[in-house]
Amino acid sequence: MEENEAPREEESQQEENNQERVLRIRLRTECPCGTGKPYVDCCRDYHTGKRAPETAEQLMRSRYTAYFFRLADYLVGTQHPDTRPRGIREELEQTMPDMMWRSLKILSTSKGQKADNKGKVEFVATLHHEGKLLQHHEKSRFKKLKGKWKYLDAKG
């Protein structure tokens, strides 16, 4: 049995090293949200809970990046509870692996600044799904809940 333990430990350690390497690369690369900033200086603090987005657009960008990195918990946590569908986490976990997000373009914003309580963000997100290049065009509504921006719906 001792002979089998060493290879498993080595494989486990190698997997941890690979995950750390991927994380270091991710932190230094440009954030998928399109600001041009490195991920570590952009959406990472939102995803880790160190900071909350101050504007509706920042929340929109961080949610796009959460789709890009498949962070279902962040997406669920940033959706307003009044419009959060039952089973959304499971649905996200099931569908996210089939989607490869490519780019985000913010078309317009209305309100949604630090002092506002509501805002709208219109955007186009490009993705690959089932071998097809698609564009998702949405006019999102955002609303603050206990001082934090939340995604309300696509009825903007």
Side-chain angles (χ1 to χ4, degrees):
M1 286 195 136
E2 289 178 17
E3 291 177 19
N4 291 337
E5 294 299 319
R8 284 187 191 153
E9 288 177 20
E10 285 178 24
E11 288 175 13
S12 177
Q13 184 63 43
Q14 186 176 12
E15 185 175 322
E16 285 180 32
N17 290 341
N18 287 340
Q19 289 174 350
E20 288 176 26
R21 194 173 312 123
V22 167
L23 180 58
R24 283 193 306 271
I25 291 169
R26 179 188 290 179
L27 293 175
R28 290 190 303 256
T29 58
E30 188 174 309
C31 191
C33 78
T35 60
K37 298 177 187 176
Y39 174 68
V40 70
D41 297 327
C42 195
C43 291
R44 178 181 179 243
D45 283 354
Y46 305 141
H47 293 158
T48 60
K50 289 183 180 178
R51 291 189 305 139
E54 295 180 346
T55 68
E57 181 178 336
Q58 286 175 342
L59 180 60
M60 177 63 245
R61 289 181 181 280
S62 71
R63 285 177 56 84
Y64 169 83
T65 301
Y67 276 104
F68 185 93
F69 288 135
R70 300 177 176 136
L71 305 174
D73 288 339
Y74 184 80
L75 294 166
V76 172
T78 56
Q79 181 150 4
H80 199 285
D82 290 348
T83 59
R84 186 183 305 143
R86 281 195 173 148
I88 186 66
R89 177 178 280 108
E90 293 78 16
E91 181 182 332
L92 287 168
E93 289 172 351
Q94 187 175 27
T95 60
M96 284 194 300
D98 297 331
M99 297 180 186
M100 300 293 290
W101 296 92
R102 296 295 178 211
S103 66
L104 173 68
K105 183 177 181 181
I106 303 295
L107 301 177
S108 67
T109 61
S110 173
K111 296 188 180 179
Q113 298 304 307
K114 192 174 181 177
D116 296 323
N117 288 316
K118 294 181 180 181
K120 295 180 182 179
V121 178
E122 182 178 6
F123 69 92
V124 174
T126 305
L127 69 143
H128 277 99
H129 181 65
E130 296 180 349
K132 296 177 184 174
L133 184 63
L134 306 172
Q135 287 192 330
H136 176 76
H137 182 191
E138 183 173 312
K139 295 178 182 178
S140 300
R141 294 190 313 159
F142 297 86
K143 183 178 178 182
K144 280 187 178 174
L145 177 68
K146 297 180 182 177
K148 293 185 178 183
W149 284 107
K150 301 289 182 181
Y151 171 75
L152 193 59
D153 58 33
K155 297 178 181 178

